Amino acid sequence: MRARHERWQHSSAREICVCVDDFGLHRGINEAVLALVGMGRVQAVSAQVGGPAWSAGARELSLLDPQGVDVGLHLDLTECPLQAGIRMPLKEAIGRAYAGRLNVAQLRSEIRAQFDAFEDALGRAPAYVDGHQHVHQLPVVRSLLVQELLLRYPERNTGRMPWLRNTRGPSRKAHADWGTWAKAEVIAALGSRALALLAQRHAVAQNRRLLGVYDFSGDAQAYGRRLWRWLGAAENGDLLMCHAGLSTGQADPLARARFIEFSVLGSLEFAERVAFKNIRLRPMHQILESR
């Protein structure tokens, strides 16, 4: 492990993956994601299969080259799950998970249904799995998720097992302020270590760390400053999460932040900064295979 770490640290370029979450939630997100993919600015797309715009956008996702873009399942229990009865606010999901009060049979059924919906629409397994609002790492959820992966994809020893998002964050210096560093720490504390141990036990790969956590406030200049700090702190194998989108007039509490992210990620300055900081953007499955 140490030798691998040293090899990564001394490579000529740092390799990271930029991932857009929430594809399928509404048309504006779908359009923004596909535009950024076309520009080569993102290399992973997290699909919310219960989202209102999933069916309309799934065909376009199915046409993307799986070698060039990782399309993953954005496991959702808090906004648009397939079984309406399982939907719960994030705070309730966290509380019930840690109190051991989740309905295991219902949760297992929901996880399977979301995998089925993804595979039916794209004709292939997801390249990875993460969670809407990071629910994939919660107690019980993470165990059922890994069980489902092992049941569905026994060919994992040939390298075809989907990878799992690790929410472990970078050090304080990677964040523009203490508040967003604290938010990143809270997210990681909700299950990143336990999920990592479970993944290691079953030889399921993960990204190194998660960049991109913030409170969705500020203008384009503020987001740009955050982004440059994340890029500066990035290490090989890191995942940079974003929530880009275009406005559609639909109710979306993140609409302004989504448009700002889209504008900054789609800018020439972003491409120049990536090159200046000696970063190579690649799908995570390629980075993991090169370890």
Side-chain angles (χ1 to χ4, degrees):
M1 183 67 72
R2 183 177 179 181
R4 177 188 300 167
H5 176 74
E6 292 175 350
R7 184 170 66 250
W8 273 21
Q9 294 286 36
H10 292 90
S11 62
S12 59
R14 292 170 293 156
E15 297 186 329
I16 70 170
C17 176
V18 180
C19 176
V20 184
D21 286 358
D22 301 344
F23 186 94
L25 189 56
H26 64 67
R27 177 172 51 84
I29 296 173
N30 293 4
E31 292 175 357
V33 169
L34 293 169
L36 291 172
V37 168
M39 288 187 280
R41 304 300 168 82
V42 301
Q43 301 76 45
V45 178
S46 295
Q48 211 162 336
V49 299
W54 165 247
S55 296
R59 172 169 165 70
E60 291 177 278
L61 276 191
S62 71
L63 298 176
L64 297 179
D65 179 4
Q67 293 305 309
V69 182
D70 285 352
V71 179
L73 173 63
H74 200 47
L75 183 67
D76 181 13
L77 305 176
T78 61
E79 190 161 5
C80 303
L82 297 176
Q83 303 175 77
I86 203 171
R87 183 178 182 274
M88 66 194 93
L90 178 60
K91 288 184 179 179
E92 180 182 345
I94 294 171
R96 291 176 64 180
Y98 275 90
R101 293 177 48 244
L102 290 172
N103 185 319
V104 174
Q106 186 183 38
L107 181 56
R108 180 181 287 113
S109 176
E110 178 66 26
I111 291 172
R112 288 177 176 172
Q114 292 192 32
F115 271 98
D116 288 343
F118 184 100
E119 293 176 357
D120 289 346
L122 270 70
R124 62 178 186 264
Y128 64 95
V129 183
D130 58 24
H132 185 56
Q133 299 183 308
H134 313 291
V135 297
H136 68 295
Q137 64 178 347
L138 295 177
V140 184
V141 181
R142 60 183 177 241
S143 297
L144 293 177
L145 173 56
V146 171
Q147 287 174 22
E148 189 65 23
L149 288 175
L150 298 175
L151 285 171
R152 281 181 180 260
Y153 312 114
E155 65 273 24
R156 60 189 180 279
N157 292 328
T158 66
R160 296 173 61 188
M161 170 68 78
W163 54 273
L164 287 171
R165 177 180 288 183
N166 186 348
T167 65
R168 182 173 70 94
S171 65
R172 164 67 184 90
K173 67 180 181 180
H175 298 275
D177 55 76
W178 284 95
T180 52
W181 171 76
K183 180 178 179 179
E185 290 294 293
V186 169
I187 289 172
L190 289 173
S192 65
R193 179 172 174 77
L195 179 60
L197 291 172
L198 188 61
Q200 290 170 13
R201 187 179 310 140
H202 296 287
V204 180
Q206 291 189 284
N207 55 291
R208 187 186 194 89
R209 304 178 306 175
L210 181 65
L211 311 174
V213 174
Y214 74 112
D215 61 1
F216 301 108
S217 68
D219 57 14
Q221 287 187 333
Y223 182 70
R225 287 193 295 270
R226 295 183 189 280
L227 189 56
W228 313 147
R229 290 181 75 99
W230 292 326
L231 292 175
E235 297 179 4
N236 280 300
D238 283 352
L239 184 72
L240 174 58
M241 169 186 66
C242 64
H243 296 80
L246 295 172
S247 177
T248 62
Q250 296 173 265
D252 181 351
L254 299 185
R256 181 174 181 272
R258 291 188 196 278
F259 182 74
I260 287 171
E261 292 187 26
F262 173 76
S263 300
V264 174
L265 290 166
S267 68
L268 178 60
E269 184 179 9
F270 174 70
E272 291 175 341
R273 291 272 188 157
V274 167
F276 177 77
K277 291 184 177 294
N278 198 27
I279 289 174
R280 183 182 180 191
L281 303 180
R282 296 182 72 192
M284 184 57 64
H285 85 269
Q286 293 184 6
I287 299 174
L288 294 170
E289 288 171 358
S290 67
R291 287 188 185 184

